[in-house]
Every structure is written in structure tokens, then in C-alpha cells.
Amino acid sequence: MSAAPAPRSATDSPEKPPEFIVTLRGLSKIYQQGDVNVTALNEVSLDIARGEFLVLMGPSGSGKSTLLHLIAGIDRPTRGELHVQGIDISRLNESQLADWRNQNVGFVFQSFNLVPVLTAAENVELPLLLTRLNRAERKKLVATALDLVGLADRMHHLPKQMSGGQEQRVAIARALVTDPQLVVADEPTGNLDAHSAHEVLGILQSLSRDHGKTVIMVTHDPKAAAFGSRQIHLEKGELTK
Amino acid sequence: MALPLRYNIRNVLVRWRSTITTILGIALVVSVYVLMQAMAAGIEKSSANTGSPDNLLIIRRGSTAESSSIVSREQLRTLLYSPEIARTAADEPLVSADVLVLLNLPRRDGGGEANVLLRGVSPRGRDLRAQVVLVEGRWFDRGKREVVVSQRLAARFAGFGLNEEFRSGPATYRVVGHTDAGKSAFDSEVWMDADEARALFDREQYSSLLVRPKDAEAATNLIARLEKDKRLQLVAHVESAYYAKQTGTATPIKWLGNFLAIAMSVGAVFAAMNTMYAAVGARTREIGTLRVLGFRRRTVVLSFLLEGALLAGLGGALGCALSLFMNGYAVGTLNFATFSETVFEFRITPALMLQGLLFSIVVGILGTLLPALRASRLPVIAALKSL
């Protein structure tokens, strides 16, 4: 895993045109708060290339988390087009969307969101329970994912027996275990000390650079943003650069 | 695929305080339910265990029970030499004309008085009721104010010990023997000679006749003949079938048991609901995470229902186990057919325990349904943002 920021662009190669994994066109999200409509995202258009480590930045309330939730299929746009891996996910019903998330997206949260009564291995195994894999196959994948984040020796530990950095690495293993093409991370270092944050960002960077995963990360922290291959800024629901 | 069961088990264990409270509450409800049903089962068993299919019990037409029946001496004389009735080696008809009297007697433990059924039986009465055996002392002699009592009643009433005496009205009676009637209704009776009982209690008539027909055909003929004979105004029942139908005493106990169970189960449902609402509240973000990972609403509902059922099932198992301590315990209650004390045992059968366990699981599922639906309907993003 990389221990230092190494920004790069997925569109560096001049020979090969980039393959877009995410395509947004005129995407808007409007929330109803009482009688008032609040526009969280306004006509956003964006392409994200396969293997890119995209960082979404912006002040609180700028719509970056909303954008992340829409791309990850845990919220629905009010209007606009949203294609992920060629599928218009805004047209999927709730059950189809749940299956799609399970197969295509890995999630990393600010508060880790591990199930406290399950061990590291059991937490990582959760998304695999929705697949057709048998127990032995699941066990093997769990071991591989935990090994990838350097926690093979913590397999049977409960979340409360681990540090914040270790918990977040378990969460990353859980995000990776189904081998999704897209990994989304919402402020993944927000609750970590500098050292742990560096480790976690290094893993996310490695996923993009070495394993070809598309990583989309929301952060406030410019140091964390420096690990990405591209940064985009949002303000009042619109892309500013 | 469902969430693993260990997820529910560990969650139940983690919040052990509320788990124990809920389990104890449900155990109490189930144990009351099982015990009330066990009482009813005990009474039913006692009735069902009484009498012989070879005997016919003859009572006045229109009487629903032996205790409210009257058979005159003339009716007895008319029937005594019926061709359908079997005879002894000494050519005596196998007929017992019985008289039933209620005695109000003090309990042995000083806990007030209760009615006891005294049955005056004719000399052939003992032969016709082979299930009543003498276990101590001797049978009563006619004309000496002697009685035999069941050993179960002996433990419950003053003066019922062997060779003890008790007083009822102007007369004093001596207990000369103890009987065992194989946990049947006869275990709740005092026996003495029928004619002596009629004289002592000033009864002109008998209460019932117990007869032994020669064979099944003779039994059918006698039943049919009495049915047609408008002059006699009597009806004959197969003795065992008559007692099997006398389960009226169990009915109010069953109702009371069901009423108590329903009333208490409402409380238990709310207790389970409270526990599960708290569980859902504490795990809101976890539920959001599971939904994000791809678990569907119905999986979340199923998982919580399973957890509620598990919790309640543990309570139910504990309730059944607690009620087992009462299995076989003999108690008395008022028999609504005879208005006397009837002695029976709590009978906790495997079927009853299974019923109690299912009852607890239903309580658990009902209590968990609303919290589970609430958990499944939480908007994913709101759930993820909860603390």
C-alpha cells in the first residue's frame, strides 16, 4: 500500500480514450422541507472514468454527500440522467437497487458502521451472504480482503477491540469483498487520527491505482484530497471546477 | 438470504438486562397459561378415567347429572329383574342403587369447610366399580355408620384418617378404610351403604342405578327400551361415556385460563414491543448500513421478527420449565356438576408445553411486528445519519 499521496489522472494515457463508469447529465435533487423546496443538487453533469480516484470537495451543505449517495444508489435523483456502468440506476426499483448496490458498490463511512456484535470477519462477510457463494468460498474471500487491508490477524476481533483506524480498514475490506468496480467513501478519515487517516487513504489510493477500482471520496480535508487523481468542487449544489 | 442467527443471538445477549426482564415477563404469562390448562387437563383426565364401558348408569330423564337425578324404589323394583341385566353366581342382579349426599366438612388444614360427595352404594356397587380398591383398613359394615374414603380426600379433610371419626348433622361416622380409585372421579368420594345413607339423610329415593348388562346387545336393548318407555322416565348412559362428558368443571377453568392468558399476553406483547422498539432505536444506523449493503426490507423485518420470537421462545421455555414443578401436584376444586370438592392432579403434557411455547412465540412475533416494520421503513440515508 502507498504511504504517500501520489496524485495522477486516469486520463493520463494519450493512446486510450477513457472509459466512463459513471455518467451524469443534468442531475438534480430537490428535497421538500415543509412547504419549501430545497435544491441539494442543481443540473450537475459529470463523467467519472474507470479506475479514477475522484475527490468531491466543498463546504457543508454543498451537495457533495448527496451526489455520492445518488451515484451509489442509496438515494434517487429528482431529475436528470444517472448511468453507472451503463445502467440507468434511477429506473431500478428498490429491490433491484439493493441487489445492484450489493454487486457493484463498496461503501466506506465516516463512522465505520460496523455491526458491533459481529467480529471483523463476520462484518466483512455480510455482503457475501447475499451472493450464491458457499461458506468455504466466502471464508476465503473474507481472508483475502482482510489480508489486503493488513488485518488478517484481527479476523476474530469485535469492533470494540480494535482502534478507529483498524475499524475503518475492516470497513474497507467489507467494501472490497464483493469485488465491486465502484468504491464510495464518505469522509472516511473524519474520525481518525493523522496516522490512521494516512493509512486508510493509502489503501483507497492503492485500490484505484493498483487494482483499477473507481474510488469516489467526499472530504473536507485538502490533505486527504491530495491522494485523489482528480478533485471536483461543489457549492450550493453546483459544480464549480 | 437472511441475516445470520448469531447476529440476533448476540444482540439479545448484549442487551441482557432488558432481555432478562422480557424473558421473565413472558415466562410468567406462559407459566400461568400452562398451569391453568394443566388444571383443566387434570379435571378432564379425572372424568375421562372414571367408570366402565361395561356398565350402564341410569338416571332420571331430563337430569344432566347423577347429583340432580331421582330414582324411586318402584323404578328400581321394575328394573331390577330386567332380562338384560347380568346376574351373579348367586343369581343376584348386578345392580347398585346409589344415593348421593353432599356433606359440608372442615378441611384438615383448618382452611374452612368444603362440600364432599358421599355415595351410598348397594352391596353390588363395589363389584361394579372394580377400579376402586381398598388400600388400607377394611370395607364398611352396614348399620354401623362406617364409611371408606379415598386416600386423596383423607389428606384434605379433618377426621378422614383411618379409624378417625367425623360428624355431619346429628350423626358421627367412623372411617374404616381408605380407597384408591386410580385418579378417577371416585377419588373425590366417601362411600357407605346406600340404604343406611338413605335412612341417615332421610332420603326416600335413590339418585341413580348402576347396572351391568349381560353383553353389548343387552346394553343396547336396555338403552333402547328405556328410551321408548314413557312410564319409567329414565335414561341409560354407558358409565364411562357419562363421566367423560362430565367435564363441565374444566370448562370455566379453561375459560379463565384463556382469559388470563389473553389479558396477560397483552401486557407481554407490549413488553416485547417496548424491548424491540428500544432495540430498533439503538440499531438504526446498523439497519441503514445493512440496507446499503444490499439487505432488503423484508430481510430486516424477518431478522427482527426472528429476534423477537427467539426472545419470547426463551421466555416460553422458561415458563414451561417453571410450570413443570406443579406437574402431578394434587389439588381440589369445586365440581360444578356435583357442587362438591373434586380432587385432581395438574397434568402438564408435552402437547400443553408445545402449546405454551407456540403461545410465547406468537406473543413475541406480535410484539415485534410493529418495531420490525418501523425498522424496515426507515429511510436509508436518515438511518445512516442517526447517532
Side-chain angles (χ1 to χ4, degrees), chain A residues 31 69 74-75 94-95 98-99 101-102 107 109 111 113 115-119 122 125-127 129-130 138 158 174, chain B residues 1-4 6-7 10-11 14 285-286 288-299 376 380-381 384-385:
Chain A
Y31 292 106
H69 292 154
I74 55 177
D75 201 358
E94 200 174 317
S95 297
D99 292 344
R101 281 198 302 268
N102 177 257
F107 297 85
F109 303 94
S111 304
N113 290 23
V115 178
V117 297
L118 299 181
T119 63
E122 288 164 347
E125 192 188 13
L126 276 174
L129 295 175
L130 297 167
R138 293 200 304 265
L158 289 170
R174 182 178 65 187
Chain B
M1 189 171 174
L3 281 158
R6 59 179 177 267
Y7 167 72
R10 286 182 204 164
N11 268 307
V14 160
R285 195 163 65 188
E286 200 173 296
T289 307
L290 293 171
R291 296 282 312 282
V292 166
L293 294 180
F295 288 94
R296 295 183 184 187
R297 284 178 195 273
R298 64 167 181 256
T299 311
S376 75
V380 176
I381 294 171
L384 285 173
K385 285 179 182 167

Side-chain angles (χ1 to χ4, degrees), chain A residues 22-134:
Chain A
V22 179
T23 305
L24 318 178
R25 291 291 175 267
L27 200 69
S28 295
K29 179 69 187 180
I30 299 165
Y31 292 106
Q32 187 111 28
Q33 285 189 343
D35 295 336
V36 183
N37 285 336
V38 178
T39 304
L41 272 186
N42 188 22
E43 302 286 331
V44 171
S45 295
L46 176 69
D47 293 313
I48 302 170
R50 190 177 292 279
E52 196 174 3
F53 185 172
L54 179 74
V55 179
L56 301 177
M57 294 192 76
S60 291
S62 60
K64 54 190 188 301
S65 287
T66 302
L67 180 58
L68 190 78
H69 292 154
L70 291 173
I71 294 170
I74 55 177
D75 201 358
R76 290 174 183 278
T78 308
R79 60 175 175 266
E81 285 179 32
L82 168 55
H83 287 86
V84 183
Q85 290 194 290
I87 296 172
D88 184 355
I89 61 167
S90 60
R91 290 179 184 276
L92 300 179
N93 66 31
E94 200 174 317
S95 297
Q96 290 169 328
L97 206 53
D99 292 344
W100 177 85
R101 281 198 302 268
N102 177 257
Q103 290 155 18
N104 296 283
V105 190
F107 297 85
V108 182
F109 303 94
Q110 180 177 353
S111 304
F112 327 133
N113 290 23
L114 299 179
V115 178
V117 297
L118 299 181
T119 63
E122 288 164 347
N123 265 289
V124 174
E125 192 188 13
L126 276 174
L128 295 177
L129 295 175
L130 297 167
T131 66
R132 291 174 187 276
L133 298 173
N134 64 33

Side-chain angles (χ1 to χ4, degrees), chain B residues 81-108:
Chain B
Y81 297 102
S82 299
E84 296 93 344
I85 294 175
R87 288 170 178 273
T88 63
D91 203 29
E92 290 176 12
L94 270 169
V95 174
S96 174
D98 293 355
V99 59
L100 296 184
V101 181
L102 277 184
L103 307 179
N104 192 252
L105 296 173
R107 291 183 189 278
R108 189 173 280 278

Side-chain angles (χ1 to χ4, degrees), chain B residues 171-242:
Chain B
T172 300
Y173 305 85
R174 173 174 284 274
V175 177
V176 296
H178 283 164
T179 56
D180 179 359
K183 298 176 186 176
S184 68
F186 300 131
D187 265 335
S188 303
E189 294 182 357
V190 176
W191 280 13
M192 72 182 302
D193 178 75
D195 289 327
E196 188 178 6
R198 280 201 311 117
L200 282 167
F201 295 99
D202 201 19
R203 300 287 168 95
E204 282 287 311
Q205 330 276 18
Y206 295 99
S207 301
S208 64
L209 304 178
L210 188 68
V211 306
R212 170 77 49 86
K214 283 177 181 162
D215 50 33
E217 191 187 349
T220 310
N221 291 343
L222 185 56
I223 291 170
R225 185 155 70 83
L226 288 178
E227 184 72 30
K228 283 181 194 159
D229 194 331
K230 304 295 178 201
R231 185 173 49 93
L232 277 173
Q233 290 293 312
L234 295 173
V235 61
H237 302 278
V238 174
E239 189 192 17
S240 53
Y242 166 83

Side-chain angles (χ1 to χ4, degrees), chain A residues 88-231:
Chain A
D88 184 355
I89 61 167
S90 60
R91 290 179 184 276
L92 300 179
N93 66 31
E94 200 174 317
S95 297
Q96 290 169 328
L97 206 53
D99 292 344
W100 177 85
R101 281 198 302 268
N102 177 257
Q103 290 155 18
N104 296 283
V105 190
F107 297 85
V108 182
F109 303 94
Q110 180 177 353
S111 304
F112 327 133
N113 290 23
L114 299 179
V115 178
V117 297
L118 299 181
T119 63
E122 288 164 347
N123 265 289
V124 174
E125 192 188 13
L126 276 174
L128 295 177
L129 295 175
L130 297 167
T131 66
R132 291 174 187 276
L133 298 173
N134 64 33
R135 194 188 166 109
E137 290 167 332
R138 293 200 304 265
K139 210 171 168 184
K140 197 173 164 188
L141 287 175
V142 167
T144 307
L146 281 170
D147 193 41
L148 193 71
V149 296
L151 286 176
D153 57 336
R154 297 294 169 122
M155 202 174 257
H156 303 298
H157 285 58
L158 289 170
K160 67 181 177 192
Q161 296 166 320
M162 290 186 281
S163 69
Q166 288 171 329
E167 282 193 74
Q168 193 60 296
R169 280 149 65 192
V170 173
I172 294 173
R174 182 178 65 187
L176 295 177
V177 76
T178 53
D179 195 25
Q181 287 307 301
L182 187 62
V183 175
V184 297
D186 194 354
E187 299 270 13
T189 57
N191 285 351
L192 299 180
D193 59 58
H195 177 72
S196 300
H198 202 267
E199 274 184 349
V200 164
L201 290 165
I203 294 170
L204 292 175
Q205 190 183 56
S206 165
L207 289 177
S208 154
R209 191 182 57 208
D210 305 330
H211 300 278
K213 305 292 180 197
T214 306
V215 180
I216 307 173
M217 177 175 78
V218 164
T219 185
H220 281 104
D221 180 7
K223 284 183 188 166
F227 279 77
S229 57
R230 179 160 68 119
Q231 296 176 12

